[in-house]
Structures are given as C-alpha cells and as structure tokens.
Amino acid sequence: MSRVDRVTETGVEHVLRRYVLRWLRVLRDDLLHFRVDPLPPSMWLRWLPHGLLCLVAFGVTLGGMAQLTDNGGVGTQIAFLLGLAQGGAVLFAMWRPIPAWLLTTAAMVGGAFEVRRQLLAGGAHDFVWPWTAAGIIGQMAVLLLLALRVPTRVSVEALGVTTLLTYAIQGLLGAADYQPTGVLAVILFAVVVVLGIALRGRREARAELGRQTTMTAEERARRTLLEERNRIARELHDVVAHHMSVISIQAQVAPHLVENPPDELMENLAGIRQNALEALTELRRVLGVLRAEHPDRPESPDEAGTGTAPHAPQPTLDRIPALVENTRAAGLTVTLEVIGKPRSLPPGVELSVYRIVQEALSNVLRHAPGAIARVQLDYRLNGVGVSVANSRPTRPAPPSPGAGHGLLGMRERVVMLGGALFADCDGDGGYKVSAFIPVAVLADGLTYARRPGAPEPVPGAGPSIRLSQAPATDPKGDTV
C-alpha cells in the first residue's frame, strides 16, 4: 500500500471515528436522562367544560319537561317549550350570556304562571313553586357563565332582577298548595354569582400580571439597550476628544515646520487651533456628564475605588492578552490565536473589538462553567475579524444576576461600524460569537472605518486624511 493510500485511509478513519463519537454523544443525550417531559395539553381537556355544559343542558331540558308534565299538570307542548328554553339557554350562554339569562328568566316567569294556574285549579298538588328543580339548575349555570364573562356590575344587576322577580311572583302574587323555592333559589343564585365574580377577578388579575411582566421585560431590555448605547457614546466621545487634541497640537506645531510662513497660513492655523480648543472644551463637559452617574453632584474621591477610572484611556487590541490572562486567573481556560500581521486600526474599531472579546469571555464565565474558550483575532486586508468560542460546559451554570442583553451591545457596536455579528450554538453544545468589522486601507498606508455606502476618500487629499491615522500613545495614557 502506498503512502498516499495510507494517508487517505487514515483520514477516512478519522472522519468516521469523529461522526461515530458524535452520534454516540447524541444518543447519550437523547436516551440517558431523567428530566421531566410533561404531557402536552389535550384537546379533549380543552373541550371538557363545553361537554359538561351540553350534559347540563340536556338534563335540564328532560328534567324540566318531566317535572312540569308529571307533577305540575302542565300540558306536553307547553312543558316541552319551557324545558327546551331553559336547557337551550345554558348552551346559548356560552356565546351570548345576557340573552341567555333573559331567555331562562322569561321561561321561569312563564312556567311559574302556568303552574300557578294548575295549583289554583287543583291540578298540581304540593308542587315546587315558583322555581322548579330543573329551572334552578339551569339558572345557576346561566348566571355562572354570565358572571364569568361580563363586568361585576352587570352580574349584580342580573342577580338583583332575578331576586326581584322571584319576590314579586312568590311574595306578592302567591299561589295555593305549593312548596316555596324562592329563598333557596336566591341563595344558590347569589353563591354562583359570587363564585363567578371571584373567578373572573382572578383571571383578570393573572392576565394583568402577564401584561405587566411582558412590559417589564420589554422596558428592561430597552433600558439595557439605552445604557449600552450610552456607554458606546461615552467611549466614542473619548476617541473624538483624542482626535481633537491631535488637531490642536498639529495646528500649533505646523507654523514651526515652515520657514517664514505666510500670515494667511498663520491666521488659518490659529483659527483651526482655536476651534479645536473650543470643541475640546465642550467635549470635556459632555464627557463629564456621560461619565458621572449623578451629574448633578461633583465626583467624590471615594468613588475612585469602583473599578473604573473616570479618565482612564480606552482599551485597545494591545490589551487583549492582558484581558485573556485576567480571565485565566478567574478560573477559565482560554487560548488566544492571532492570524495575520497585527497593525494599528482606528480607535473606534479597536475599542469595539476589545469590548466584544470582554463581553464574550464574561458570558463564558457566567453561563459555561468548566468550558474551554478560544479567542481568535484575524487581521485581514479589508478589516479585522474576531471570534470567541467555548466548548460544552462541564457543570450547570449558577443563577446569573445579569440582564442577559450583552449581545445587544455587541451588535450595536458592530452595526455602527458597518460590520456583521453572528452568535449561535454549535453542534457540540458550545457557543460561538464571531464578528467582522470592515476597515479600508488607503494608498499611503492609513486606515479608516467606513460604513457601507460611504464614499471612498481620495488618497493625499489633504491634512484631514492625516487625522485618521492611529495617533501615538501618550506616556500617561490621557487622551483628553
């Protein structure tokens, strides 16, 4: 067997072994676990209340007909109509509770007058009146459905009208040789109305709580996004202030680089320096407001130990190795890989790449304990790429107090610079965040960040291009 065949066979075995191990891990995760998988809600359970109401309506119809015919002395046709009205009202109440209540109340009044006529004539002996047993059950079901669907005021009004009609028929009109059911019926009606009002109030409270929870989550997300944008604006103001300082210094030094400079040049350079100093003063005021958590009171020396110096220089790509070392000291295994030749990039680009790596490593520490992280910087001709990937965590992550919107800040930074960001889980249970920020290169070696659609600058177009060059670092690191 030739060497090429042996190498090919080794590569095939490696690929097969890799896929076999991956499928074995998938089978282990799918079949060897003890997590709880609850049953989904059944369609039968959703229609169970409707089925029970259909049974109640059927029972009220048959029971009312039999009771009015056998014991009330009412004719078959009238009993059928009264029973059908009381039973049909129960079904009708599922869609139209108010008309259903009117129907069952009218059926009660009509049945009460017909039974009263039989009681006075002696055709019904010792019969329940003015409410029959089937009528009480049907009215209770209708009032319960009404109380569940309409405001409390309407439910109380329906109960009051029912009570008034019961008192008027039994107490004022009266009959002979009957068993009174008015008091019992009113008590039962009041119980079901109170129960319906309580259930409706509980349902409305839960719905309102859900709406408030949703609004709170949306407001928290919006506030987090605004805070991240404020932070980005604060850092970009630092970068702009640094460039304004460079403009002022260059305008001051330029006359000394030319022998016998013209008066017009001196006047223009003095005006440039004056405008730069005024803009720098205004930027310092804005920076003071953005840096201070409470702008209305002066900053105290005790606040210096909060972990962020107010006037500290903004981090660059040179500080990523130190960030990786600090993350290792926190207990996370991190590797750093740099592809391409490192070079100076625009300050905003370097700051954004640093913040993306910082936030991604913080997420790995919080949400993937025991994982191995890999940071990769890719210096390309047309931009810079960054990716932070972590392996599968070895133990469950503890509860994190964070807001969970770190990706929003990353995306805001990348979109602002015309780049693209991708964040998703990989097939092995890990997570990866990758971004690319375009950086254009001019003919004289200068770089600048360009948003999509922005016009290309002309090389050598004047001193304004020189200002886009990465400035030299001040020994104290103060950019303002």
Side-chain angles (χ1 to χ4, degrees):
M1 183 180 295
S2 64
R3 181 178 179 182
V4 176
D5 294 337
R6 287 197 300 270
V7 172
T8 303
E9 184 178 356
T10 303
V12 172
E13 291 178 355
H14 175 72
V15 173
L16 290 177
R17 188 182 303 110
R18 180 180 177 184
Y19 278 101
V20 169
L21 291 177
R22 178 177 296 180
W23 277 108
L24 289 177
R25 285 196 297 267
V26 172
L27 289 176
R28 180 194 63 187
D29 296 339
D30 292 342
L31 302 179
L32 298 179
H33 65 82
F34 297 94
R35 62 175 180 265
V36 178
D37 292 327
L39 288 173
S42 175
M43 294 296 295
W44 294 101
L45 294 179
R46 287 181 55 189
W47 291 100
L48 181 60
H50 301 76
L52 292 178
L53 287 175
C54 291
L55 292 178
V56 171
F58 184 72
V60 168
T61 302
L62 293 184
M65 289 175 54
Q67 194 174 18
L68 291 173
T69 303
D70 297 340
N71 302 323
V74 180
T76 305
Q77 295 180 351
I78 298 179
F80 174 75
L81 292 177
L82 293 175
L84 185 61
Q86 292 175 340
V90 176
L91 297 179
F92 196 34
M94 289 190 289
W95 293 275
R96 298 289 187 271
I98 297 297
W101 170 77
L102 293 175
L103 178 60
T104 187
T105 303
M108 181 275 296
V109 174
F113 276 98
E114 181 63 23
V115 172
R116 177 178 180 274
R117 188 174 65 84
Q118 297 294 331
L119 289 172
L120 295 178
H125 175 68
D126 199 20
F127 188 66
V128 291
W129 188 80
W131 289 93
T132 61
I136 293 176
I137 296 175
Q139 187 78 354
M140 288 174 58
V142 171
L143 286 176
L144 178 60
L145 293 174
L146 185 143
L148 290 172
R149 306 281 291 279
V150 301
T152 303
R153 174 178 54 83
V154 180
S155 301
V156 173
E157 290 172 353
L159 177 61
V161 172
T162 304
T163 303
L164 182 61
L165 287 175
T166 303
Y167 169 74
I169 294 174
Q170 179 178 334
L172 300 181
L173 185 61
D177 193 17
Y178 69 93
Q179 295 182 10
T181 56
V183 176
L184 177 62
V186 170
I187 293 175
L188 293 177
F189 297 158
V191 170
V192 296
V193 168
V194 171
L195 177 62
I197 292 174
L199 293 176
R200 182 175 182 273
R202 181 174 178 269
R203 183 184 61 193
E204 291 179 347
R206 292 180 60 183
E208 181 64 23
L209 179 61
R211 287 192 295 269
Q212 292 294 333
T213 303
T214 303
M215 292 176 59
T216 302
E218 293 176 354
E219 181 64 24
R220 187 184 298 113
R222 191 176 70 88
R223 186 171 62 249
T224 304
L225 181 59
L226 292 178
E227 290 175 355
E228 185 61 27
R229 288 182 176 180
N230 186 29
R231 178 186 176 190
I232 295 173
R234 181 171 60 246
E235 293 174 350
L236 289 180
H237 273 83
D238 289 338
V239 174
V240 174
H242 178 91
H243 285 293
M244 297 304 297
S245 300
V246 174
I247 293 174
S248 175
I249 295 173
Q250 289 179 342
Q252 183 180 8
V253 174
H256 301 283
L257 302 179
V258 180
E259 185 178 357
N260 298 323
D263 294 339
E264 293 82 359
L265 178 62
M266 295 286 294
E267 183 179 354
N268 288 334
L269 291 176
I272 293 174
R273 173 174 169 77
Q274 183 64 28
N275 291 332
L277 291 177
E278 292 178 358
L280 189 59
T281 302
E282 295 298 327
L283 279 174
R284 282 172 175 161
R285 293 174 182 172
V286 175
L287 289 175
V289 175
L290 291 176
R291 285 194 179 107
E293 185 173 352
H294 301 284
D296 53 345
R297 62 179 177 85
E299 207 173 298
S300 63
D302 298 336
E303 295 176 353
T306 58
T308 56
H311 300 283
Q314 297 298 339
T316 60
L317 295 181
D318 296 336
R319 294 178 57 181
I320 287 185
L323 175 63
V324 171
E325 290 297 330
N326 292 337
T327 309
R328 289 172 182 166
L332 181 66
T333 303
V334 189
T335 60
L336 175 61
E337 180 183 3
V338 180
I339 302 175
K341 183 179 180 181
R343 67 182 188 274
S344 296
L345 298 174
V349 175
E350 295 200 5
L351 175 62
S352 297
V353 172
Y354 181 89
R355 293 303 187 198
I356 290 173
V357 175
Q358 184 182 41
E359 181 65 29
L361 291 179
S362 300
N363 289 339
V364 175
L365 282 172
R366 287 195 299 264
H367 305 298
I372 299 176
R374 179 171 59 89
V375 180
Q376 185 181 80
L377 290 178
D378 187 5
Y379 289 89
R380 305 178 189 176
L381 181 63
N382 61 339
V384 59
V386 57
S387 68
V388 179
N390 62 274
S391 62
R392 183 176 186 160
T394 58
R395 57 183 182 273
S400 175
H405 300 288
L407 289 176
L408 291 177
M410 299 184 196
R411 186 168 286 108
E412 287 288 324
R413 293 180 180 276
V414 174
V415 171
M416 176 188 62
L417 296 172
L421 182 137
F422 303 93
D424 198 2
C425 299
D426 56 22
D428 297 330
Y431 201 83
K432 183 177 181 180
V433 176
S434 60
F436 178 77
I437 300 176
V439 178
V441 181
L442 302 182
D444 53 0
L446 303 179
T447 60
Y448 73 101
R450 182 176 64 86
R451 292 183 58 86
E456 292 282 355
V458 180
S464 60
I465 297 180
R466 291 291 178 183
L467 298 179
S468 65
Q469 187 175 8
T473 306
D474 186 78
K476 296 182 181 180
D478 195 354
T479 61
V480 179

